[in-house]
Amino acid sequence: MYICHMYSSELIKGTLKTIVLNLLKNNKKMYGYEICQKVKSMTDDKIQITEGALYPTLHALEKQGDVITEKVYIGKRVRKYYTLTDQGKNTMTERVNELSDFMKTMKFLLDLDTSVQNV
Amino acid sequence: MYELSDDQVEYILNNIEKRGVTTEDVRDNILDHVCCIIENEFTVGKDFYKAYEDTIARFYTKELSEIERETENLLTFKYYYAMKRTLKITGLISVILIVLGAIFKVMHWPGAGVMYVSGFAIFCLLFIPLNIVLQYRDDKKKTDKLVMILGLLLVIAGTFGLLFKVMHWPGASFLFFGSLGLFGLVFIPLYFFTRYRNPDTRFNAIIHSTFMMVAASILFALIDLRPTYPVKQSVESLNEYQEANILRIKASNTLLSSELDNAKDLKEASAKIDGRITDIRTNLISKSNAQHNTNKRSSSLKDTRNPDDVRVIVEYFQVSKDEFSYSALENEIDQYNTIIGQLKDSISLRAIDISNLQMKNTVISVVLLELIDIQLQIAMNENSYLSVLRGLQEH
């Protein structure tokens, strides 16, 4: 039920928060459907965030204080826009750094890039 | 582009709710998302209900409420570590407070009560409830969860009982023995049998049940240290003997002093201190009985509602400075000793010394018996003094 299509869900499960936080950094204010569409279009459909994974993550981020929400009423329905807080910006930087470090380590570990081996 | 009518939005909202999504935030999010998909990805003319069914199916693998459960899991998981940390901290604080409280209590230093009460409160109201919540998360089977929760609730009740007992508050025995009984007779067997059935937990079930049973039995035996009934009875009859003896000696003193007129000083001094001690006894008993909602005024030990009352001694008698306190008694005895010292009769008179008597930090019945003993000593002093005087006169 998580993110699927090109990549296995286990692989991307741990990065969903990072993806969402990073998107919000670039685009200021977004709502759920918009986030899904954006990821889809940016990755040429390689990463498709499922709704079942996105909303629990957004709620968790809100509870932790990394994002704040703003409700806009559209007729009978309510749309929640998510914005990064200052704390969220720090979390985002930490998460992105951690992930890029992790990717370097994985490259080295899986012997994908010989130039890294000698570092 | 598809346009959704208000009725259709309403229909989607109701349907989402019907599928078991109860949190408003989650519901609003799903609703908007579904609407966006239908509006953006379906062509005009497609059947609305068909479009909705196709869309909502993308949200879950088995049922829609998965989203809500996943949300709850993520949220509680976040609190999980905070809770574990709080559990450790509250555990440490309550252990420190209770141990310090126990030491202070034994040494009768001030502040014991505050430490005890706050330590037990943290233990009962934070530490154990947190344990319940974490246990609820960790235990897989529903019966295991319920059994553990029962046990922890009984521990809360029992701890409050213990606290009430230590603080001499009413209802302690009921709370303590009630929960201890339920713990031993209901919880431990339940715990044992539910866990024994599972081969994985069988060994632990035996070990834990044994430990808990032994601990519960030891607690049960330890807590009830009150004198057994025959002891109480003999203390009371001893007290009655002493009171009767005092009366007989006083009668004999009245007879003797009617024949002698040169013992006026001692007679007055004896009457004064004797009256004061009777007043102290009456005051102690009525103060102690007032704590137990009885207004009986008496100077007799058998009328004391709770002969094991420590509070009236610790919190009143030994600290107060009023006319019925320990310090007033010391004063009175000093005055009495000065007067009999002036009489210079070392054969028949003996000064009263209470420095070796246990009159502080003890139960009221002990203090009452000691006070009677002092009165007996005073009556004896007068009697032997008068007898010696009379003997001298006859010679």
Side-chain angles (χ1 to χ4, degrees):
Chain A
M1 73 178 271
Y2 294 99
I3 314 155
C4 46
H5 241 52
M6 288 293 288
Y7 303 115
S8 72
S9 60
E10 281 83 12
L11 202 56
I12 309 182
K13 198 177 168 183
T15 58
L16 184 55
K17 263 188 192 171
T18 318
I19 296 173
V20 171
L21 288 171
N22 201 49
L23 269 184
L24 289 175
K25 170 197 76 173
N26 295 329
N27 293 285
K28 281 252 156 212
K29 186 166 123 180
M30 292 175 95
Y31 60 99
Y33 179 73
E34 197 183 353
I35 294 174
C36 285
Q37 293 303 108
K38 185 86 186 169
V39 173
K40 210 170 141 186
S41 70
M42 277 172 80
T43 59
D44 292 330
D45 288 7
K46 275 183 172 176
I47 295 179
Q48 287 192 17
I49 302 177
T50 61
E51 295 77 7
L54 176 68
Y55 288 108
T57 303
L58 282 173
H59 276 107
L61 286 174
E62 187 183 350
K63 204 88 181 181
Q64 285 163 22
D66 285 333
V67 298
I68 45 165
T69 58
E70 183 189 322
K71 286 182 175 178
V72 175
Y73 288 83
I74 304 169
K76 281 206 157 215
R77 50 199 239 234
V78 188
R79 178 167 296 170
K80 273 168 88 178
Y81 282 97
Y82 293 86
T83 323
L84 219 54
T85 60
D86 286 340
Q87 180 198 320
K89 281 172 197 152
N90 293 332
T91 313
M92 187 269 300
T93 320
E94 277 168 32
R95 286 251 174 186
V96 171
N97 289 341
E98 190 192 1
L99 188 60
S100 82
D101 194 64
F102 177 72
M103 292 192 294
K104 265 189 222 157
T105 313
M106 286 309 282
K107 259 187 189 170
F108 172 67
L109 188 68
L110 303 176
D111 200 12
L112 299 177
D113 185 356
T114 41
S115 67
V116 186
Q117 267 184 18
N118 304 323
V119 174
Chain B
M1 200 172 129
Y2 213 100
E3 275 291 334
L4 286 170
S5 71
D6 278 358
D7 283 349
Q8 286 168 332
V9 173
E10 188 89 31
Y11 169 83
I12 298 173
L13 183 63
N14 288 335
N15 189 271
I16 293 171
E17 217 174 318
K18 225 183 339 184
R19 286 167 187 261
V21 179
T22 49
T23 318
E24 200 189 336
D25 270 353
V26 180
R27 220 160 48 205
D28 286 345
N29 273 332
I30 298 176
L31 174 68
D32 184 52
H33 203 110
V34 171
C35 292
C36 285
I37 292 175
I38 295 177
E39 283 174 348
N40 293 316
E41 299 174 18
F42 287 96
T43 47
V44 185
K46 189 170 164 100
D47 177 44
F48 162 72
Y49 297 104
K50 179 85 180 63
Y52 171 64
E53 290 303 326
D54 288 352
T55 310
I56 199 75
R58 289 167 43 174
F59 282 65
Y60 57 90
T61 45
K62 276 202 193 110
E63 51 183 22
L64 189 63
S65 51
E66 281 167 16
I67 294 193
E68 191 163 83
R69 270 205 305 278
E70 180 71 16
T71 310
E72 271 166 26
N73 271 345
L74 273 182
L75 295 184
T76 44
F77 193 67
K78 195 225 148 190
Y79 291 125
Y80 189 70
Y81 292 107
M83 273 160 64
K84 281 219 154 159
R85 204 170 43 240
T86 324
L87 188 79
K88 285 180 204 155
I89 296 170
T90 50
L92 184 68
I93 293 176
S94 56
V95 163
I96 291 174
L97 283 175
I98 291 171
V99 169
L100 275 182
I103 295 171
F104 273 55
K105 187 99 192 165
V106 170
M107 304 305 291
H108 297 281
W109 291 334
V114 178
M115 283 185 220
Y116 244 138
V117 175
S118 49
F120 274 103
I122 294 173
F123 182 75
C124 286
L125 302 176
L126 285 171
F127 184 75
I128 296 182
L130 272 174
N131 251 317
I132 293 181
V133 176
L134 289 175
Q135 196 70 46
Y136 196 82
R137 243 192 85 99
D138 290 347
D139 267 342
K140 292 285 178 287
K141 274 166 52 194
K142 201 168 180 190
T143 44
D144 285 357
K145 287 181 187 185
L146 291 177
V147 170
M148 270 330 275
I149 288 169
L150 170 74
L152 289 168
L153 287 177
L154 287 175
V155 170
I156 295 184
T159 314
F160 268 117
L162 205 65
L163 174 68
F164 275 43
K165 192 108 192 156
V166 172
M167 300 306 294
H168 308 289
W169 290 339
S173 298
F174 173 76
L175 258 178
F176 185 79
F177 288 113
S179 47
L180 193 63
L182 283 175
F183 191 83
L185 301 174
V186 178
F187 170 72
I188 298 178
L190 268 179
Y191 178 88
F192 181 76
F193 287 114
T194 50
R195 310 234 159 182
Y196 189 78
R197 269 184 289 169
N198 181 351
D200 291 340
T201 50
R202 183 167 295 169
F203 184 69
N204 274 344
I206 299 170
I207 301 286
H208 291 167
S209 304
T210 313
F211 265 120
M212 286 191 292
M213 207 66 209
V214 169
S217 314
I218 289 175
L219 265 180
F220 184 77
L222 268 184
I223 197 75
D224 195 21
L225 292 176
R226 275 174 301 179
T228 46
Y229 189 63
V231 174
K232 200 180 149 214
Q233 221 175 15
S234 78
V235 167
E236 270 175 21
S237 59
L238 191 67
N239 180 59
E240 270 171 43
Y241 271 125
Q242 283 175 318
E243 280 181 348
N245 281 342
I246 292 173
L247 284 181
R248 285 195 308 180
I249 296 169
K250 274 184 182 166
S252 142
N253 286 349
T254 320
L255 267 178
L256 281 169
S257 59
S258 66
E259 296 166 17
L260 303 161
D261 45 355
N262 49 351
K264 237 182 108 197
D265 284 351
L266 181 66
K267 214 182 141 191
E268 273 171 12
S270 296
K272 183 167 169 265
I273 191 169
D274 184 68
R276 172 64 64 104
I277 293 177
T278 305
D279 288 347
I280 291 177
R281 279 161 49 205
T282 314
N283 183 56
L284 276 180
I285 291 172
S286 72
K287 270 207 155 53
S288 167
N289 282 352
Q291 287 172 14
H292 296 87
N293 303 320
T294 325
N295 291 319
K296 200 161 183 180
R297 266 188 86 79
S298 164
S299 62
S300 183
L301 178 60
K302 67 176 189 307
D303 292 321
T304 315
R305 232 347 256 295
N306 175 13
D308 300 328
D309 188 0
V310 188
R311 240 177 116 179
V312 75
I313 305 300
V314 173
E315 289 176 13
Y316 162 70
F317 184 59
Q318 67 192 44
V319 289
S320 170
K321 294 278 174 253
D322 73 7
E323 49 183 335
F324 306 120
S325 64
Y326 181 78
S327 64
L329 175 72
E330 274 184 320
N331 249 330
E332 198 69 57
I333 288 171
D334 280 348
Q335 287 175 25
Y336 175 81
N337 284 342
T338 321
I339 290 171
I340 62 168
Q342 284 160 358
L343 289 175
K344 295 194 181 83
D345 184 340
S346 56
I347 309 162
S348 60
L349 292 175
R350 218 179 129 184
I352 291 173
D353 180 14
I354 59 165
S355 60
N356 287 325
L357 289 182
Q358 170 83 33
M359 296 195 97
K360 291 177 173 179
N361 304 328
T362 184
V363 293
I364 185 171
S365 57
V366 168
V367 175
L368 289 175
L369 274 178
E370 286 165 340
L371 287 172
I372 291 253
D373 242 4
I374 297 170
Q375 283 179 299
L376 187 64
Q377 173 72 30
I378 291 160
M380 279 303 298
N381 264 347
E382 195 185 346
N383 191 264
S384 60
Y385 182 73
L386 289 172
S387 302
V388 170
L389 269 189
R390 189 160 172 230
L392 286 176
Q393 248 182 17
E394 278 179 3
H395 274 286

